[in-house]
Amino acid sequence: MLRGKSGIIGSTVSHMINHRAMITIQILMMSLVFLVQLLVSKPIFTDEMLRKKDVEIQNRTFFLSLFDMDKELVDEFLSDLQQYQGIIDEIIITSQIDIPQPAHNAVETGDGLAGADTPPYRLLSFFPSISRSREISLSRGNFDLELERRSLFLSDHAFQMLGLLGNAESDLSRESGYTILINQEKWDCTGVGYISGLPADISGALYIVADFSKYQLISETCDTVYFLFSVKPSEAELAKINQIAYSRLITDAQLTSYVKETDNLDFFSQTGTLAVIVLVLVLNLLSLFEYLLSLRYAEFRVYLLTGATWNSIWIFSVLELTIAVFLSVLLGGLISVLPIAQNIFGFRVWNMSPHFFIVNAFVFMAIAWIGFSLRWVFGKYRRSFLYISGGAR
């Protein structure tokens, strides 16, 4: 009799230990999936934040179209706008310039005359300085628009094109490392990359940034002036600026809003792909969770035979899954702060916006609930209860 009881107790203890071990494995595996979700969602989150910031900046942007206006006249016009410096964060002046292909390179490549088939570039300058709301992302060099007065900043596409045309020479004798030839004069190129929030017709072009004081050494004309306001200007303020433009530039051109429409298709496409990937991973992991539930088959059968409804069993299972998912998210969050996590991810999770982790946590929980519901409805687990007499159908 004692042997029988000890055998039952031993079996029960062994069963509990195995059950807890499998729950631990379940939580660890779901934590791994959550960490994968954080890794994959980081570039999506970053791109979306930059897109929203670009839209916000461009919706505060107005432009004035000119036709090869003399740069000195534009300078006089801008000097008359000092009274509006409280509402104007930044002014961008631009012009289109041609940079001919170097003659020696044209001869070497057999292209004929130098400058043939060379693309136009956009020269731009910030006045009085670049807005703090913009971000500079460098792919080459080390650049500061407020300190590098003599040097140029090139967009990635402009640098690549100049390199193909043989006009971006490596020069180890200079701190910049690169020089380019414009108007028969060599200029240092100390920064190559991307500037956020630029109007689409600039960001999509081959643009070169020069300091405002050096702009006229490259181009004596200006074709467009962009105004970035700190707040949306009133109609009266716009009318006064237009009046100043008319008196100084003798132009009927009016300040026009540069409103950019939001396009969420790419964001939804990326997030949808991520959700499908995580859902597939979660569906595979839920087979282990269903096995853990099957170990309690007898317990659930008693519930059903004593009058419990099918929905109560489902709610009970969802609550247990929620606890497991919450623990896996908590564990994933703790793992993400370890020093080794930065080497794996390439970024610190907690240095991102607080919304990054919170949104990922809720999305992961939602995916787990959806995945469990799908397996519950279409899987074999629910049908196994339908044969229990007295259970709710």
Side-chain angles (χ1 to χ4, degrees):
M1 187 70 177
L2 291 175
R3 289 180 181 178
K5 289 183 178 180
S6 62
I8 294 173
I9 294 174
S11 176
T12 303
V13 172
S14 177
H15 177 77
M16 291 176 62
I17 293 174
N18 291 334
H19 188 265
R20 290 180 180 178
M22 283 185 285
I23 291 177
T24 303
I25 294 174
Q26 171 83 23
I27 294 173
L28 289 174
M29 293 176 68
M30 296 196 78
S31 297
L32 179 61
V33 174
F34 179 64
L35 289 173
V36 170
Q37 178 180 312
L38 289 177
L39 178 62
V40 178
S41 63
K42 189 260 184 180
I44 300 176
F45 181 85
T46 303
D47 289 347
E48 179 63 9
M49 293 297 291
L50 288 175
R51 186 190 67 82
K52 287 183 176 180
K53 188 172 184 178
D54 283 357
V55 170
E56 187 272 329
I57 291 175
Q58 294 190 33
N59 286 344
R60 290 189 284 117
T61 301
F62 287 70
F63 67 94
L64 185 66
S65 294
L66 307 173
F67 181 74
D68 291 338
M69 186 67 63
D70 187 272
K71 168 66 164 50
E72 292 184 356
L73 289 177
V74 175
D75 287 350
E76 293 176 2
F77 164 62
L78 297 182
S79 65
D80 286 349
L81 297 178
Q82 295 301 314
Q83 56 183 312
Y84 298 103
Q85 61 183 354
I87 63 171
I88 299 177
D89 276 353
E90 159 200 272
I91 298 174
I92 306 175
I93 61 171
T94 75
S95 64
Q96 183 171 295
I97 61 173
D98 293 318
I99 303 179
Q101 183 176 337
H104 66 84
N105 190 60
V107 173
E108 291 175 1
T109 57
D111 290 335
L113 297 175
D117 299 326
T118 56
Y121 296 81
R122 291 290 293 274
L123 175 68
L124 59 141
S125 216
F126 298 94
F127 176 81
S129 61
I130 189 169
S131 171
R132 295 184 180 275
S133 60
R134 301 193 191 278
E135 294 182 1
I136 300 177
S137 175
L138 288 168
S139 58
R140 293 180 183 85
N142 185 13
F143 191 81
D144 188 333
L145 285 176
E146 294 183 359
L147 299 178
E148 309 281 353
R149 298 297 186 186
R150 174 69 184 178
S151 302
L152 303 180
F153 179 91
L154 274 65
S155 67
D156 283 310
H157 295 310
F159 181 83
Q160 292 168 8
M161 182 58 67
L162 289 171
L164 290 174
L165 296 177
N167 196 11
E169 301 178 356
S170 177
D171 191 344
L172 299 178
S173 64
R174 298 175 181 269
E175 293 182 0
S176 64
Y178 295 96
T179 59
I180 64 173
L181 187 65
I182 304 178
N183 296 339
Q184 304 303 316
E185 184 179 357
K186 284 189 174 182
W187 289 78
D188 290 344
C189 169
T190 60
V192 179
Y194 166 82
I195 299 177
S196 70
L198 292 176
D201 58 333
I202 296 179
S203 61
L206 306 173
Y207 64 84
I208 300 173
V209 181
D211 182 71
F212 190 83
S213 63
K214 304 299 180 183
Y215 178 97
Q216 199 161 352
L217 296 177
I218 300 177
S219 175
E220 296 182 352
T221 62
C222 173
D223 56 28
T224 312
V225 180
Y226 297 89
F227 296 84
L228 176 62
F229 290 90
S230 55
V231 293
K232 190 171 182 178
S234 65
E235 292 296 330
E237 290 168 331
L238 290 176
K240 289 180 180 179
I241 295 176
N242 287 327
Q243 186 177 2
I244 295 173
Y246 177 77
S247 61
R248 280 294 186 183
L249 304 176
I250 316 300
T251 177
D252 292 329
Q254 301 287 307
L255 277 175
T256 306
S257 175
Y258 198 94
V259 177
K260 181 178 180 181
E261 296 182 0
T262 59
D263 184 7
N264 296 314
L265 291 179
D266 188 53
F267 172 73
F268 288 130
S269 175
Q270 290 179 315
T271 52
T273 302
L274 171 62
V276 170
I277 293 173
V278 177
L279 179 60
V280 171
L281 294 174
V282 170
L283 284 174
N284 291 326
L285 288 180
L286 287 175
S287 58
L288 175 59
F289 181 73
E290 289 179 3
Y291 174 70
L292 294 176
L293 290 179
S294 69
L295 297 179
R296 306 173 67 179
Y297 182 84
E299 178 184 342
F300 290 154
R301 186 168 62 175
V302 171
Y303 291 161
L304 291 172
L305 290 173
T306 55
T309 64
W310 174 255
N311 288 335
S312 64
I313 300 297
W314 182 82
I315 293 173
F316 182 83
S317 301
V318 169
L319 289 175
E320 188 167 333
L321 174 64
T322 302
I323 294 173
V325 173
F326 177 80
L327 292 176
S328 66
V329 168
L330 182 61
L331 181 60
L334 293 175
I335 293 175
S336 66
V337 302
L338 297 176
I340 192 174
Q342 184 176 4
N343 297 329
I344 297 174
F345 288 101
F347 70 98
R348 290 187 180 275
V349 173
W350 295 106
N351 284 352
M352 302 284 289
S353 168
H355 296 98
F356 175 69
F357 186 86
I358 295 173
V359 170
N360 268 286
F362 279 106
V363 168
F364 185 69
M365 289 183 180
I367 291 175
W369 290 332
I370 293 172
F372 178 70
S373 299
L374 290 175
R375 291 185 66 97
W376 186 277
V377 173
F378 298 105
K380 298 180 180 179
Y381 188 63
R382 176 179 180 177
R383 289 196 295 270
S384 65
F385 284 98
L386 298 180
Y387 298 100
I388 302 174
S389 59
R393 295 293 190 267

